[in-house]
PDB file of all heavy atoms in Angstrom:
ATOM      1  N   LEU B 118      -5.820   4.948   7.199  1.00  0.00           N
ATOM      2  CA  LEU B 118      -4.574   4.382   6.632  1.00  0.00           C
ATOM      3  C   LEU B 118      -4.554   4.580   5.115  1.00  0.00           C
ATOM      4  O   LEU B 118      -3.529   4.932   4.523  1.00  0.00           O
ATOM      5  CB  LEU B 118      -4.416   2.925   6.948  1.00  0.00           C
ATOM      6  CG  LEU B 118      -4.360   2.574   8.436  1.00  0.00           C
ATOM      7  CD1 LEU B 118      -4.064   1.042   8.563  1.00  0.00           C
ATOM      8  CD2 LEU B 118      -3.277   3.389   9.194  1.00  0.00           C
ATOM      9  N   ASP B 119      -5.704   4.371   4.454  1.00  0.00           N
ATOM     10  CA  ASP B 119      -5.778   4.545   3.012  1.00  0.00           C
ATOM     11  C   ASP B 119      -5.503   5.984   2.610  1.00  0.00           C
ATOM     12  O   ASP B 119      -4.810   6.226   1.603  1.00  0.00           O
ATOM     13  CB  ASP B 119      -7.150   4.125   2.505  1.00  0.00           C
ATOM     14  CG  ASP B 119      -7.382   2.614   2.618  1.00  0.00           C
ATOM     15  OD1 ASP B 119      -6.421   1.863   2.931  1.00  0.00           O
ATOM     16  OD2 ASP B 119      -8.517   2.154   2.475  1.00  0.00           O
ATOM     17  N   ALA B 120      -5.990   6.939   3.369  1.00  0.00           N
ATOM     18  CA  ALA B 120      -5.830   8.329   3.119  1.00  0.00           C
ATOM     19  C   ALA B 120      -4.303   8.675   3.230  1.00  0.00           C
ATOM     20  O   ALA B 120      -3.728   9.414   2.386  1.00  0.00           O
ATOM     21  CB  ALA B 120      -6.592   9.203   4.028  1.00  0.00           C
ATOM     22  N   GLU B 121      -3.602   8.091   4.221  1.00  0.00           N
ATOM     23  CA  GLU B 121      -2.188   8.366   4.391  1.00  0.00           C
ATOM     24  C   GLU B 121      -1.429   7.680   3.192  1.00  0.00           C
ATOM     25  O   GLU B 121      -0.443   8.299   2.676  1.00  0.00           O
ATOM     26  CB  GLU B 121      -1.685   7.742   5.692  1.00  0.00           C
ATOM     27  CG  GLU B 121      -2.253   8.405   6.928  1.00  0.00           C
ATOM     28  CD  GLU B 121      -1.580   9.753   7.212  1.00  0.00           C
ATOM     29  OE1 GLU B 121      -0.571  10.089   6.503  1.00  0.00           O
ATOM     30  OE2 GLU B 121      -2.090  10.444   8.098  1.00  0.00           O
ATOM     31  N   LEU B 122      -1.846   6.515   2.770  1.00  0.00           N
ATOM     32  CA  LEU B 122      -1.228   5.856   1.644  1.00  0.00           C
ATOM     33  C   LEU B 122      -1.302   6.696   0.337  1.00  0.00           C
ATOM     34  O   LEU B 122      -0.306   6.888  -0.329  1.00  0.00           O
ATOM     35  CB  LEU B 122      -1.925   4.501   1.395  1.00  0.00           C
ATOM     36  CG  LEU B 122      -1.359   3.653   0.260  1.00  0.00           C
ATOM     37  CD1 LEU B 122       0.017   3.133   0.591  1.00  0.00           C
ATOM     38  CD2 LEU B 122      -2.315   2.418   0.051  1.00  0.00           C
ATOM     39  N   LEU B 123      -2.489   7.250   0.129  1.00  0.00           N
ATOM     40  CA  LEU B 123      -2.674   8.065  -1.078  1.00  0.00           C
ATOM     41  C   LEU B 123      -1.839   9.401  -0.980  1.00  0.00           C
ATOM     42  O   LEU B 123      -1.251   9.852  -1.961  1.00  0.00           O
ATOM     43  CB  LEU B 123      -4.131   8.384  -1.308  1.00  0.00           C
ATOM     44  CG  LEU B 123      -4.976   7.215  -1.812  1.00  0.00           C
ATOM     45  CD1 LEU B 123      -6.466   7.660  -1.881  1.00  0.00           C
ATOM     46  CD2 LEU B 123      -4.507   6.835  -3.238  1.00  0.00           C
ATOM     47  N   ALA B 124      -1.882   9.947   0.248  1.00  0.00           N
ATOM     48  CA  ALA B 124      -1.137  11.230   0.389  1.00  0.00           C
ATOM     49  C   ALA B 124       0.328  11.027   0.196  1.00  0.00           C
ATOM     50  O   ALA B 124       1.003  11.826  -0.498  1.00  0.00           O
ATOM     51  CB  ALA B 124      -1.387  11.763   1.836  1.00  0.00           C
ATOM     52  N   GLY B 125       0.917   9.923   0.738  1.00  0.00           N
ATOM     53  CA  GLY B 125       2.330   9.644   0.514  1.00  0.00           C
ATOM     54  C   GLY B 125       2.637   9.419  -0.955  1.00  0.00           C
ATOM     55  O   GLY B 125       3.694   9.859  -1.433  1.00  0.00           O
ATOM     56  N   PHE B 126       1.810   8.650  -1.588  1.00  0.00           N
ATOM     57  CA  PHE B 126       1.960   8.408  -3.054  1.00  0.00           C
ATOM     58  C   PHE B 126       1.926   9.685  -3.840  1.00  0.00           C
ATOM     59  O   PHE B 126       2.883   9.904  -4.655  1.00  0.00           O
ATOM     60  CB  PHE B 126       0.847   7.449  -3.504  1.00  0.00           C
ATOM     61  CG  PHE B 126       0.913   7.051  -4.966  1.00  0.00           C
ATOM     62  CD1 PHE B 126       1.499   5.901  -5.351  1.00  0.00           C
ATOM     63  CD2 PHE B 126       0.376   7.896  -5.931  1.00  0.00           C
ATOM     64  CE1 PHE B 126       1.555   5.523  -6.724  1.00  0.00           C
ATOM     65  CE2 PHE B 126       0.426   7.562  -7.279  1.00  0.00           C
ATOM     66  CZ  PHE B 126       1.003   6.343  -7.652  1.00  0.00           C
ATOM     67  N   VAL B 127       0.971  10.486  -3.618  1.00  0.00           N
ATOM     68  CA  VAL B 127       0.812  11.735  -4.433  1.00  0.00           C
ATOM     69  C   VAL B 127       1.951  12.714  -4.139  1.00  0.00           C
ATOM     70  O   VAL B 127       2.519  13.312  -5.062  1.00  0.00           O
ATOM     71  CB  VAL B 127      -0.535  12.372  -4.201  1.00  0.00           C
ATOM     72  CG1 VAL B 127      -0.606  13.767  -4.754  1.00  0.00           C
ATOM     73  CG2 VAL B 127      -1.668  11.503  -4.685  1.00  0.00           C
ATOM     74  N   GLN B 128       2.385  12.817  -2.881  1.00  0.00           N
ATOM     75  CA  GLN B 128       3.450  13.716  -2.573  1.00  0.00           C
ATOM     76  C   GLN B 128       4.745  13.280  -3.260  1.00  0.00           C
ATOM     77  O   GLN B 128       5.523  14.132  -3.776  1.00  0.00           O
ATOM     78  CB  GLN B 128       3.691  13.738  -1.055  1.00  0.00           C
ATOM     79  CG  GLN B 128       4.775  14.697  -0.653  1.00  0.00           C
ATOM     80  CD  GLN B 128       4.923  14.784   0.891  1.00  0.00           C
ATOM     81  OE1 GLN B 128       4.545  13.857   1.597  1.00  0.00           O
ATOM     82  NE2 GLN B 128       5.412  15.891   1.390  1.00  0.00           N
ATOM     83  N   ARG B 129       4.940  12.002  -3.341  1.00  0.00           N
ATOM     84  CA  ARG B 129       6.177  11.426  -3.977  1.00  0.00           C
ATOM     85  C   ARG B 129       6.193  11.644  -5.458  1.00  0.00           C
ATOM     86  O   ARG B 129       7.283  11.689  -6.106  1.00  0.00           O
ATOM     87  CB  ARG B 129       6.322  10.032  -3.610  1.00  0.00           C
ATOM     88  CG  ARG B 129       7.692   9.392  -4.014  1.00  0.00           C
ATOM     89  CD  ARG B 129       8.786   9.857  -3.158  1.00  0.00           C
ATOM     90  NE  ARG B 129      10.049   9.120  -3.388  1.00  0.00           N
ATOM     91  CZ  ARG B 129      11.115   9.673  -3.863  1.00  0.00           C
ATOM     92  NH1 ARG B 129      11.209  10.945  -4.073  1.00  0.00           N
ATOM     93  NH2 ARG B 129      12.200   8.894  -4.060  1.00  0.00           N
ATOM     94  N   LEU B 130       5.035  11.792  -6.050  1.00  0.00           N
ATOM     95  CA  LEU B 130       4.959  12.083  -7.528  1.00  0.00           C
ATOM     96  C   LEU B 130       5.797  13.214  -7.955  1.00  0.00           C
ATOM     97  O   LEU B 130       6.367  13.287  -9.010  1.00  0.00           O
ATOM     98  CB  LEU B 130       3.482  12.308  -7.958  1.00  0.00           C
ATOM     99  CG  LEU B 130       2.581  11.118  -8.240  1.00  0.00           C
ATOM    100  CD1 LEU B 130       1.201  11.615  -8.497  1.00  0.00           C
ATOM    101  CD2 LEU B 130       3.107  10.315  -9.434  1.00  0.00           C
ATOM    102  N   GLY B 131       5.880  14.244  -7.051  1.00  0.00           N
ATOM    103  CA  GLY B 131       6.612  15.464  -7.375  1.00  0.00           C
ATOM    104  C   GLY B 131       8.121  15.351  -7.226  1.00  0.00           C
ATOM    105  O   GLY B 131       8.828  16.199  -7.742  1.00  0.00           O
ATOM    106  N   THR B 132       8.607  14.270  -6.600  1.00  0.00           N
ATOM    107  CA  THR B 132      10.041  14.238  -6.311  1.00  0.00           C
ATOM    108  C   THR B 132      10.700  12.896  -6.788  1.00  0.00           C
ATOM    109  O   THR B 132      11.916  12.844  -6.766  1.00  0.00           O
ATOM    110  CB  THR B 132      10.270  14.350  -4.795  1.00  0.00           C
ATOM    111  OG1 THR B 132       9.636  13.308  -4.118  1.00  0.00           O
ATOM    112  CG2 THR B 132       9.755  15.751  -4.303  1.00  0.00           C
ATOM    113  N   VAL B 133       9.980  11.895  -7.120  1.00  0.00           N
ATOM    114  CA  VAL B 133      10.549  10.621  -7.495  1.00  0.00           C
ATOM    115  C   VAL B 133      11.522  10.780  -8.653  1.00  0.00           C
ATOM    116  O   VAL B 133      11.253  11.522  -9.628  1.00  0.00           O
ATOM    117  CB  VAL B 133       9.443   9.594  -7.822  1.00  0.00           C
ATOM    118  CG1 VAL B 133       8.703   9.928  -9.109  1.00  0.00           C
ATOM    119  CG2 VAL B 133      10.006   8.192  -7.927  1.00  0.00           C
ATOM    120  N   ASP B 134      12.638  10.115  -8.558  1.00  0.00           N
ATOM    121  CA  ASP B 134      13.681  10.147  -9.603  1.00  0.00           C
ATOM    122  C   ASP B 134      13.302   9.309 -10.777  1.00  0.00           C
ATOM    123  O   ASP B 134      13.168   8.083 -10.641  1.00  0.00           O
ATOM    124  CB  ASP B 134      15.043   9.695  -9.001  1.00  0.00           C
ATOM    125  CG  ASP B 134      16.197   9.885  -9.954  1.00  0.00           C
ATOM    126  OD1 ASP B 134      15.984  10.160 -11.156  1.00  0.00           O
ATOM    127  OD2 ASP B 134      17.369   9.813  -9.473  1.00  0.00           O
ATOM    128  N   LEU B 135      13.073   9.888 -11.942  1.00  0.00           N
ATOM    129  CA  LEU B 135      12.628   9.203 -13.093  1.00  0.00           C
ATOM    130  C   LEU B 135      13.753   8.452 -13.801  1.00  0.00           C
ATOM    131  O   LEU B 135      13.453   7.653 -14.769  1.00  0.00           O
ATOM    132  CB  LEU B 135      11.930  10.160 -14.086  1.00  0.00           C
ATOM    133  CG  LEU B 135      10.733  10.891 -13.522  1.00  0.00           C
ATOM    134  CD1 LEU B 135      10.111  11.793 -14.576  1.00  0.00           C
ATOM    135  CD2 LEU B 135       9.725   9.963 -12.904  1.00  0.00           C
ATOM    136  N   ASP B 136      14.986   8.645 -13.362  1.00  0.00           N
ATOM    137  CA  ASP B 136      16.096   7.897 -14.025  1.00  0.00           C
ATOM    138  C   ASP B 136      16.383   6.565 -13.303  1.00  0.00           C
ATOM    139  O   ASP B 136      17.211   5.817 -13.742  1.00  0.00           O
ATOM    140  CB  ASP B 136      17.384   8.751 -13.982  1.00  0.00           C
ATOM    141  CG  ASP B 136      17.200   9.965 -14.915  1.00  0.00           C
ATOM    142  OD1 ASP B 136      16.574   9.803 -15.977  1.00  0.00           O
ATOM    143  OD2 ASP B 136      17.745  11.042 -14.600  1.00  0.00           O
ATOM    144  N   GLU B 137      15.734   6.334 -12.165  1.00  0.00           N
ATOM    145  CA  GLU B 137      15.951   5.111 -11.371  1.00  0.00           C
ATOM    146  C   GLU B 137      14.811   4.109 -11.753  1.00  0.00           C
ATOM    147  O   GLU B 137      13.709   4.518 -12.100  1.00  0.00           O
ATOM    148  CB  GLU B 137      15.905   5.423  -9.866  1.00  0.00           C
ATOM    149  CG  GLU B 137      17.118   6.247  -9.434  1.00  0.00           C
ATOM    150  CD  GLU B 137      18.417   5.478  -9.502  1.00  0.00           C
ATOM    151  OE1 GLU B 137      18.410   4.250  -9.215  1.00  0.00           O
ATOM    152  OE2 GLU B 137      19.426   6.108  -9.786  1.00  0.00           O
ATOM    153  N   PRO B 138      15.100   2.785 -11.627  1.00  0.00           N
ATOM    154  CA  PRO B 138      14.069   1.812 -11.927  1.00  0.00           C
ATOM    155  C   PRO B 138      12.976   1.750 -10.864  1.00  0.00           C
ATOM    156  O   PRO B 138      13.065   2.453  -9.801  1.00  0.00           O
ATOM    157  CB  PRO B 138      14.819   0.494 -11.969  1.00  0.00           C
ATOM    158  CG  PRO B 138      16.008   0.732 -11.085  1.00  0.00           C
ATOM    159  CD  PRO B 138      16.358   2.219 -11.229  1.00  0.00           C
ATOM    160  N   ARG B 139      11.893   0.994 -11.088  1.00  0.00           N
ATOM    161  CA  ARG B 139      10.803   0.736 -10.113  1.00  0.00           C
ATOM    162  C   ARG B 139      10.129   2.038  -9.747  1.00  0.00           C
ATOM    163  O   ARG B 139       9.926   2.354  -8.624  1.00  0.00           O
ATOM    164  CB  ARG B 139      11.335   0.093  -8.825  1.00  0.00           C
ATOM    165  CG  ARG B 139      11.750  -1.343  -8.923  1.00  0.00           C
ATOM    166  CD  ARG B 139      12.076  -1.876  -7.534  1.00  0.00           C
ATOM    167  NE  ARG B 139      10.871  -1.842  -6.719  1.00  0.00           N
ATOM    168  CZ  ARG B 139      10.730  -1.033  -5.696  1.00  0.00           C
ATOM    169  NH1 ARG B 139      11.679  -0.126  -5.359  1.00  0.00           N
ATOM    170  NH2 ARG B 139       9.622  -1.000  -4.953  1.00  0.00           N
ATOM    171  N   ILE B 140       9.757   2.845 -10.729  1.00  0.00           N
ATOM    172  CA  ILE B 140       9.136   4.147 -10.416  1.00  0.00           C
ATOM    173  C   ILE B 140       7.833   3.909  -9.697  1.00  0.00           C
ATOM    174  O   ILE B 140       7.638   4.462  -8.628  1.00  0.00           O
ATOM    175  CB  ILE B 140       8.877   4.956 -11.739  1.00  0.00           C
ATOM    176  CG1 ILE B 140      10.238   5.305 -12.404  1.00  0.00           C
ATOM    177  CG2 ILE B 140       8.049   6.191 -11.476  1.00  0.00           C
ATOM    178  CD1 ILE B 140      10.078   5.935 -13.697  1.00  0.00           C
ATOM    179  N   CYS B 141       6.939   3.034 -10.193  1.00  0.00           N
ATOM    180  CA  CYS B 141       5.675   2.795  -9.501  1.00  0.00           C
ATOM    181  C   CYS B 141       5.891   2.182  -8.126  1.00  0.00           C
ATOM    182  O   CYS B 141       5.283   2.617  -7.162  1.00  0.00           O
ATOM    183  CB  CYS B 141       4.771   1.873 -10.302  1.00  0.00           C
ATOM    184  SG  CYS B 141       3.202   1.570  -9.596  1.00  0.00           S
ATOM    185  N   GLY B 142       6.828   1.225  -8.043  1.00  0.00           N
ATOM    186  CA  GLY B 142       7.112   0.625  -6.755  1.00  0.00           C
ATOM    187  C   GLY B 142       7.590   1.618  -5.727  1.00  0.00           C
ATOM    188  O   GLY B 142       7.203   1.533  -4.535  1.00  0.00           O
ATOM    189  N   ARG B 143       8.427   2.576  -6.115  1.00  0.00           N
ATOM    190  CA  ARG B 143       8.919   3.548  -5.200  1.00  0.00           C
ATOM    191  C   ARG B 143       7.818   4.570  -4.795  1.00  0.00           C
ATOM    192  O   ARG B 143       7.837   5.052  -3.664  1.00  0.00           O
ATOM    193  CB  ARG B 143      10.178   4.278  -5.831  1.00  0.00           C
ATOM    194  CG  ARG B 143      11.389   3.395  -5.807  1.00  0.00           C
ATOM    195  CD  ARG B 143      12.638   4.112  -6.279  1.00  0.00           C
ATOM    196  NE  ARG B 143      12.610   4.247  -7.749  1.00  0.00           N
ATOM    197  CZ  ARG B 143      12.737   5.376  -8.371  1.00  0.00           C
ATOM    198  NH1 ARG B 143      12.789   6.527  -7.685  1.00  0.00           N
ATOM    199  NH2 ARG B 143      12.718   5.450  -9.672  1.00  0.00           N
ATOM    200  N   LEU B 144       6.897   4.819  -5.672  1.00  0.00           N
ATOM    201  CA  LEU B 144       5.738   5.637  -5.358  1.00  0.00           C
ATOM    202  C   LEU B 144       4.859   4.977  -4.323  1.00  0.00           C
ATOM    203  O   LEU B 144       4.495   5.593  -3.275  1.00  0.00           O
ATOM    204  CB  LEU B 144       4.916   5.990  -6.566  1.00  0.00           C
ATOM    205  CG  LEU B 144       5.593   6.891  -7.597  1.00  0.00           C
ATOM    206  CD1 LEU B 144       4.780   6.938  -8.890  1.00  0.00           C
ATOM    207  CD2 LEU B 144       5.712   8.323  -7.056  1.00  0.00           C
ATOM    208  N   VAL B 145       4.613   3.717  -4.511  1.00  0.00           N
ATOM    209  CA  VAL B 145       3.781   2.899  -3.561  1.00  0.00           C
ATOM    210  C   VAL B 145       4.554   2.825  -2.258  1.00  0.00           C
ATOM    211  O   VAL B 145       3.976   2.916  -1.148  1.00  0.00           O
ATOM    212  CB  VAL B 145       3.399   1.552  -4.118  1.00  0.00           C
ATOM    213  CG1 VAL B 145       2.660   0.683  -3.050  1.00  0.00           C
ATOM    214  CG2 VAL B 145       2.572   1.689  -5.351  1.00  0.00           C
ATOM    215  N   ASP B 146       5.861   2.614  -2.300  1.00  0.00           N
ATOM    216  CA  ASP B 146       6.706   2.507  -1.061  1.00  0.00           C
ATOM    217  C   ASP B 146       6.565   3.714  -0.237  1.00  0.00           C
ATOM    218  O   ASP B 146       6.519   3.720   0.958  1.00  0.00           O
ATOM    219  CB  ASP B 146       8.184   2.274  -1.414  1.00  0.00           C
ATOM    220  CG  ASP B 146       8.480   0.913  -2.005  1.00  0.00           C
ATOM    221  OD1 ASP B 146       7.590   0.033  -1.986  1.00  0.00           O
ATOM    222  OD2 ASP B 146       9.570   0.687  -2.531  1.00  0.00           O
ATOM    223  N   ALA B 147       6.529   4.942  -0.925  1.00  0.00           N
ATOM    224  CA  ALA B 147       6.426   6.163  -0.201  1.00  0.00           C
ATOM    225  C   ALA B 147       5.069   6.299   0.482  1.00  0.00           C
ATOM    226  O   ALA B 147       5.005   6.734   1.670  1.00  0.00           O
ATOM    227  CB  ALA B 147       6.540   7.369  -1.211  1.00  0.00           C
ATOM    228  N   GLY B 148       4.048   5.811  -0.143  1.00  0.00           N
ATOM    229  CA  GLY B 148       2.714   5.759   0.495  1.00  0.00           C
ATOM    230  C   GLY B 148       2.755   4.804   1.697  1.00  0.00           C
ATOM    231  O   GLY B 148       2.163   5.136   2.765  1.00  0.00           O
ATOM    232  N   ALA B 149       3.405   3.664   1.571  1.00  0.00           N
ATOM    233  CA  ALA B 149       3.459   2.737   2.690  1.00  0.00           C
ATOM    234  C   ALA B 149       4.292   3.305   3.856  1.00  0.00           C
ATOM    235  O   ALA B 149       3.904   3.070   5.041  1.00  0.00           O
ATOM    236  CB  ALA B 149       4.122   1.417   2.198  1.00  0.00           C
ATOM    237  N   ARG B 150       5.320   4.059   3.545  1.00  0.00           N
ATOM    238  CA  ARG B 150       6.077   4.647   4.651  1.00  0.00           C
ATOM    239  C   ARG B 150       5.227   5.677   5.372  1.00  0.00           C
ATOM    240  O   ARG B 150       5.330   5.810   6.644  1.00  0.00           O
ATOM    241  CB  ARG B 150       7.328   5.360   4.125  1.00  0.00           C
ATOM    242  CG  ARG B 150       8.430   4.331   3.785  1.00  0.00           C
ATOM    243  CD  ARG B 150       9.748   5.065   3.551  1.00  0.00           C
ATOM    244  NE  ARG B 150       9.742   5.903   2.357  1.00  0.00           N
ATOM    245  CZ  ARG B 150       9.991   5.465   1.118  1.00  0.00           C
ATOM    246  NH1 ARG B 150      10.332   4.174   0.960  1.00  0.00           N
ATOM    247  NH2 ARG B 150       9.977   6.328   0.071  1.00  0.00           N
ATOM    248  N   ALA B 151       4.408   6.449   4.650  1.00  0.00           N
ATOM    249  CA  ALA B 151       3.488   7.389   5.271  1.00  0.00           C
ATOM    250  C   ALA B 151       2.497   6.648   6.223  1.00  0.00           C
ATOM    251  O   ALA B 151       2.227   7.161   7.317  1.00  0.00           O
ATOM    252  CB  ALA B 151       2.720   8.175   4.237  1.00  0.00           C
ATOM    253  N   VAL B 152       2.027   5.515   5.785  1.00  0.00           N
ATOM    254  CA  VAL B 152       1.110   4.748   6.641  1.00  0.00           C
ATOM    255  C   VAL B 152       1.839   4.259   7.919  1.00  0.00           C
ATOM    256  O   VAL B 152       1.296   4.304   9.013  1.00  0.00           O
ATOM    257  CB  VAL B 152       0.535   3.513   5.834  1.00  0.00           C
ATOM    258  CG1 VAL B 152      -0.279   2.633   6.758  1.00  0.00           C
ATOM    259  CG2 VAL B 152      -0.345   4.028   4.712  1.00  0.00           C
ATOM    260  N   LYS B 153       3.027   3.750   7.685  1.00  0.00           N
ATOM    261  CA  LYS B 153       3.812   3.201   8.854  1.00  0.00           C
ATOM    262  C   LYS B 153       4.097   4.358   9.871  1.00  0.00           C
ATOM    263  O   LYS B 153       3.894   4.170  11.106  1.00  0.00           O
ATOM    264  CB  LYS B 153       5.115   2.627   8.406  1.00  0.00           C
ATOM    265  CG  LYS B 153       5.940   2.101   9.580  1.00  0.00           C
ATOM    266  CD  LYS B 153       7.285   1.531   9.108  1.00  0.00           C
ATOM    267  CE  LYS B 153       8.056   1.013  10.272  1.00  0.00           C
ATOM    268  NZ  LYS B 153       8.405   2.067  11.205  1.00  0.00           N
TER     269      LYS B 153
END
């Protein structure tokens, strides 16, 4: 699960919208979705 969490986080680094708030939260959310 931890590996999926990191993979989702790192993948989202390349696409996350930097003009929207909660940048870190949205990166972690992407990792959590990968785990789910």
Side-chain angles (χ1 to χ4, degrees):
L118 300 185
D119 293 347
E121 294 286 350
L122 180 67
L123 287 176
F126 179 97
V127 170
Q128 183 177 25
R129 189 73 171 117
L130 276 173
T132 61
V133 67
D134 188 345
L135 301 183
D136 293 326
E137 293 292 325
R139 289 187 61 252
I140 293 174
C141 182
R143 285 183 287 123
L144 291 169
V145 175
D146 289 351
R150 284 192 294 273
V152 173
K153 180 181 179 298

